[in-house]
Amino acid sequence: MSIVRAMRNTVRSVPQPVRFGARKLFYGGGASVCPMCGNAVRTWLGHGGRAAVLYERKVVGGMRREHDECPICRSADRTRLMMLCLRDVLHAGARPLKIMHVAPDFGLYLWLRGRKQIDYVPTDLDLRRYRHMNIVVRADLTDLPFEAETFDVVICSHVLEHVPDDHKAMSEIRRVLKPGGAALLMAPMATDGAGTDEDAAVVDPDERDRRFGQWDHVRLYAPDDFAARLAGAGFEVKVFNGFDAFPEEAARLQLNPEERLFVARR
């Protein structure tokens, strides 16, 4: 294990409420307000990877962006893009919705928990990451413990690139969606036109970092292939870009103009 990964694991061992409170004390009180957690912040942080492949292959959702991440709840451009679609397209909070959130990031978790009329079900395979969220349901994305047609919305951001059998995961997401329901899906996307890079034989963390941009990723998607895989699982797929749909709000939320959200309908 690299020193960086060891340090990250050490930090993650501290309960999230403790980390959240410490960040609020250190970064809070500025003129800007995070739209996810509602805290005033003095500055915004950079986020993203540094692996060479991310820049060689122009990986949107992987390359570093400066002054973008909330220092308190750690929500970033892709989190705010999810929020915009949920709020202004799916009208979350304005009508009853049952939502499954896979591997919930803290900023979107806070935002969804604060909305009325949402029946919120966060899930993950490893519950040790969520000692601060006692409502998280243990769930394998390739074998979900829910009845068919349970959810109106499934949120799955930056997860499928970790899952060896992504077709099974996509099929399971479709199975638990109600007819007409929507899956909001994101992953790091290589935009250089060279296609998806995937090799099940690559298991060494350093080689995965070199090939796919992160030590625990099993592939690096290309956008067209990602959409085709979703269609192959039975979805009707549309791509949502905040600047196309709501340009003024997208600019206010400081979204990444290159980022795309895949909206897959059952």
Side-chain angles (χ1 to χ4, degrees), residues 175-189:
R175 181 184 67 81
V176 300
L177 275 173
K178 296 176 182 177
L184 307 186
L185 305 160
M186 299 178 77
M189 293 289 161

Side-chain angles (χ1 to χ4, degrees), residues 166-180:
D166 62 342
H167 177 76
K168 178 62 174 172
M170 292 173 181
S171 297
E172 275 292 276
I173 290 171
R174 185 180 183 279
R175 181 184 67 81
V176 300
L177 275 173
K178 296 176 182 177

Side-chain angles (χ1 to χ4, degrees), residues 21 43 56 159 198:
T43 187
E56 292 165 359
V159 174
E198 183 173 31

Side-chain angles (χ1 to χ4, degrees), residues 4 36 55 57 59 74 97 112 115 127 146 158 166 176 200 207 219 235 238 263:
V4 172
M36 307 302 303
Y55 300 88
R57 300 212 52 199
V59 178
R74 295 296 172 88
L97 290 173
L112 286 166
R115 307 275 81 74
L127 297 189
F146 305 110
H158 285 236
D166 62 342
V176 300
E207 182 62 9
R219 69 182 63 82
F235 285 107
K238 292 187 177 180
V263 181

Side-chain angles (χ1 to χ4, degrees), residues 90-250:
L90 300 181
H91 307 295
R95 64 188 181 105
L97 290 173
K98 186 162 187 172
I99 297 178
M100 183 178 88
H101 190 181
V102 182
D105 58 286
F106 198 53
L108 194 54
Y109 162 86
L110 290 173
W111 187 84
L112 286 166
R113 290 277 283 168
R115 307 275 81 74
K116 296 179 179 179
Q117 301 193 72
I118 291 179
D119 184 359
Y120 180 63
V121 183
T123 72
D124 202 295
L125 185 59
D126 184 2
L127 297 189
R128 292 174 299 177
R129 301 174 58 204
Y130 305 98
R131 290 171 295 156
H132 58 290
M133 302 181 192
N134 58 11
I135 63 171
V136 179
V137 176
R138 187 182 186 281
D140 181 344
L141 193 54
T142 63
D143 187 19
L144 291 169
F146 305 110
E147 297 292 331
E149 302 181 5
T150 296
F151 298 99
D152 300 289
V153 178
V154 173
I155 301 167
C156 184
S157 176
H158 285 236
V159 174
L160 289 167
E161 68 274 16
H162 298 264
V163 180
D165 191 350
D166 62 342
H167 177 76
K168 178 62 174 172
M170 292 173 181
S171 297
E172 275 292 276
I173 290 171
R174 185 180 183 279
R175 181 184 67 81
V176 300
L177 275 173
K178 296 176 182 177
L184 307 186
L185 305 160
M186 299 178 77
M189 293 289 161
T191 63
D192 63 345
T196 293
D197 184 12
E198 183 173 31
D199 186 348
V202 177
V203 295
D204 176 70
D206 291 333
E207 182 62 9
R208 284 179 170 178
D209 191 69
R210 188 189 72 81
R211 286 274 298 274
F212 311 134
Q214 191 166 303
W215 68 273
D216 56 350
H217 288 185
V218 299
R219 69 182 63 82
L220 178 55
Y221 286 111
D224 290 347
D225 178 56
F226 189 69
R229 293 186 189 205
L230 289 169
F235 285 107
E236 295 181 2
V237 184
K238 292 187 177 180
V239 177
F240 175 77
N241 176 276
F243 284 92
D244 292 338
F246 307 101
E248 292 184 4
E249 184 65 0

Side-chain angles (χ1 to χ4, degrees), residues 2-79:
S2 71
I3 294 174
V4 172
R5 291 203 294 272
M7 290 176 63
R8 286 175 178 168
N9 288 340
T10 299
V11 170
R12 287 168 180 166
S13 69
V14 179
Q16 178 68 282
V18 175
R19 286 181 279 154
F20 184 78
R23 293 195 299 263
K24 191 171 180 178
L25 285 173
F26 189 79
Y27 290 107
S32 297
V33 176
C34 173
M36 307 302 303
C37 65
N39 284 292
V41 298
R42 292 186 290 105
T43 187
W44 298 84
L45 303 180
H47 73 98
R50 299 186 184 277
V53 68
L54 300 175
Y55 300 88
E56 292 165 359
R57 300 212 52 199
K58 301 178 182 179
V59 178
V60 176
M63 292 183 290
R64 187 169 180 81
R65 294 194 78 213
E66 301 297 340
H67 310 294
D68 182 75
E69 181 180 83
C70 172
I72 298 176
C73 72
R74 295 296 172 88
S75 61
D77 49 9
R78 64 175 178 262
T79 324

